[in-house]
Amino acid sequence: MISKLKQWIIQLMTGANVGLVIVMLLVGFSDRIHPAEHPLVSTIGMTFPFLLVANLGFLVFWLIFKWTRAWLPTAGFILSYVPISIYMPINGLDTPPDDALKLVSYNVCGYGGNYKYEHGFEKVLDYLIEEQADIVCLQEDIDTWRRYCFKQYEERGLQYNDTIVLCNDNTRFNCLGIHTKYPIIRRDRIDYSTISNNGSAAWWLRVGKDTVIVVNNHFESCHLNQEDRRQYRQILKGEMARDSVRAESQLLMVKLAEANSVRSSQVEAVCDYVDQFLDDYPVIVCGDFNDNPISFSRYMVAKRLRDCFVETGRGVGLSYNQKAFSFRIDHIFCSSDITPYQCLVDSKMDASDHFPMVCWLKIGVK
């Protein structure tokens, strides 16, 4: 009787592990799905890390109870190598050459200090100067006191400054900014077909003898209010009744799906812009994508450009630092004629709800 029960459990767990591996593969490659065509399906990339943890649990189970079946979860990890390497790459630490420029992409949350620092602007500015950044791309770079901000940046070594107001009305206010050591010779606002408080802009910089196009982005957010976030945390902690979990999960999925659909057209607009100049100029694309690594947004840009974190980063790189919502939603990409080094998420800088993303970039391939 006990032997039959054990055999039944092993068969059940084997079937469950096979099913998990299949789902893990489908989710891992779900970034190919267009959100406008399949909005709800496009959100499942967020579940990829949970599936990895579950598969790891199966590996531990088989090693303890029947080691000969450990090949199942191992095969799952091997087959999922591509999405795993995107989600949590492991790279060496190549030393950047002396002539590599340093770029910082940072959503500064309006210099609000993340409710930790009274002087949020000064905290951010001190950090950027200490980092000796050559190009700083900021999202939510508030514009109402730009003359004061620009003067402070200029006095601290970032001589060239510009801000584009994305929206400014009674309920919404958002800006994109660039602060750099290199002259700005042109800027373009990239038009979206969607009405949004987000946006993208391209700045053309004179870097030595090269003209480098830097595209700064703040794509569509998921529009989760504080109540949505609170209920999501309750779901994760198991503190909500089953019926409520079902209803709230459906609501969250709908909001995420709607945001994905809007974001997809924004990303495509940026890709169309980049395609015009990719053969003639070095291009950098960065910013707050509001989307995780297993997403259509990242996939579309990575089809054209090098994902600096995937190629040179290490680990998961959680750039959004709010509890229960930690994902890498900030990204840096560069064209094939630029060599990236040591792309990282700097978790020591906590003056925003995002961590800065930092990367060294050498114009010209190795």
Side-chain angles (χ1 to χ4, degrees), residues 136-148:
V136 176
C137 291
L138 300 184
Q139 303 85 47
E140 299 188 29
D141 186 10
I142 60 174
D143 189 70
T144 51
W145 50 322
R146 80 163 88 183
R147 294 181 182 178
Y148 170 77

Side-chain angles (χ1 to χ4, degrees), residues 242-259:
R242 181 176 299 178
D243 291 343
S244 297
V245 167
R246 185 180 298 110
E248 293 303 327
S249 297
Q250 290 175 348
L251 178 61
L252 288 172
M253 292 296 287
V254 168
K255 285 192 173 184
L256 293 173
E258 290 175 348

Side-chain angles (χ1 to χ4, degrees), residues 108 111 138-143 162-163 175-179:
V108 296
Y111 299 114
L138 300 184
Q139 303 85 47
E140 299 188 29
D141 186 10
I142 60 174
D143 189 70
D162 191 29
T163 305
C175 308
L176 288 173
I178 190 168
H179 309 279

Side-chain angles (χ1 to χ4, degrees), residues 214-274:
V214 180
V215 182
N216 187 8
N217 303 278
H218 189 187
F219 291 130
E220 188 77 9
S221 69
C222 296
H223 302 293
L224 300 182
N225 56 39
Q226 292 300 319
E227 181 62 18
D228 293 332
R229 296 170 188 270
R230 185 186 67 80
Q231 292 176 346
Y232 175 68
R233 294 187 183 99
Q234 285 185 320
I235 292 173
L236 292 182
K237 294 178 181 179
E239 298 176 350
M240 186 177 291
R242 181 176 299 178
D243 291 343
S244 297
V245 167
R246 185 180 298 110
E248 293 303 327
S249 297
Q250 290 175 348
L251 178 61
L252 288 172
M253 292 296 287
V254 168
K255 285 192 173 184
L256 293 173
E258 290 175 348
N260 280 3
S261 182
V262 173
R263 194 183 302 118
S264 66
S265 64
Q266 298 174 349
V267 172
E268 288 173 329
V270 170
C271 289
D272 290 343
Y273 179 89
V274 169

Side-chain angles (χ1 to χ4, degrees), residues 10-241:
I10 288 174
Q11 291 176 351
L12 179 65
M13 296 298 284
T14 299
N17 200 172
V18 170
L20 176 66
V21 169
I22 293 172
V23 172
M24 191 165 67
L25 286 170
L26 292 175
V27 171
F29 291 95
S30 65
D31 53 3
R32 277 74 170 169
I33 297 173
H34 199 298
E37 298 173 0
H38 305 282
L40 286 173
V41 179
S42 71
T43 66
I44 62 176
M46 297 178 62
T47 67
F48 188 68
F50 303 104
L51 298 174
L52 291 180
V53 172
N55 197 51
L56 181 62
F58 271 109
L59 179 60
V60 173
F61 173 84
W62 292 127
L63 289 174
I64 294 174
F65 295 102
K66 194 174 181 62
W67 67 269
T68 56
R69 297 290 175 94
W71 68 269
L72 271 172
T74 302
F77 286 129
I78 293 173
L79 292 172
S80 301
Y81 170 77
V82 171
I84 290 174
S85 66
I86 291 172
Y87 192 84
M88 46 184 301
I90 302 296
N91 297 290
L93 292 176
D94 291 343
T95 302
D98 293 337
D99 57 347
L101 62 87
K102 189 174 187 179
L103 181 140
V104 176
S105 177
Y106 192 14
N107 183 324
V108 296
C109 198
Y111 299 114
N114 203 18
Y115 307 105
K116 296 180 179 180
Y117 302 100
E118 182 179 356
H119 303 289
F121 172 74
E122 287 75 12
K123 181 71 176 178
V124 170
L125 179 60
D126 288 344
Y127 166 78
L128 296 173
I129 301 305
E130 289 171 4
E131 285 293 301
Q132 298 181 331
D134 298 297
I135 301 174
V136 176
C137 291
L138 300 184
Q139 303 85 47
E140 299 188 29
D141 186 10
I142 60 174
D143 189 70
T144 51
W145 50 322
R146 80 163 88 183
R147 294 181 182 178
Y148 170 77
C149 290
F150 285 5
K151 182 178 180 181
Q152 293 295 309
Y153 278 112
E154 289 170 7
E155 291 177 353
R156 301 291 292 276
L158 295 169
Q159 301 97 318
Y160 304 97
N161 303 274
D162 191 29
T163 305
I164 287 182
V165 178
L166 302 177
C167 66
N168 186 8
D169 55 35
N170 294 330
T171 60
R172 304 176 304 167
F173 183 63
N174 196 12
C175 308
L176 288 173
I178 190 168
H179 309 279
T180 176
K181 297 178 181 179
Y182 305 113
I184 301 170
I185 59 178
R186 171 179 167 180
R187 79 167 184 183
D188 296 323
R189 172 78 184 270
I190 300 176
D191 291 329
Y192 293 162
S193 59
T194 54
I195 299 174
S196 175
N197 63 329
N198 300 91
S200 299
W203 282 273
W204 296 48
L205 307 182
R206 177 64 66 188
V207 182
K209 296 181 179 180
D210 296 298
T211 297
V212 178
I213 301 174
V214 180
V215 182
N216 187 8
N217 303 278
H218 189 187
F219 291 130
E220 188 77 9
S221 69
C222 296
H223 302 293
L224 300 182
N225 56 39
Q226 292 300 319
E227 181 62 18
D228 293 332
R229 296 170 188 270
R230 185 186 67 80
Q231 292 176 346
Y232 175 68
R233 294 187 183 99
Q234 285 185 320
I235 292 173
L236 292 182
K237 294 178 181 179
E239 298 176 350
M240 186 177 291

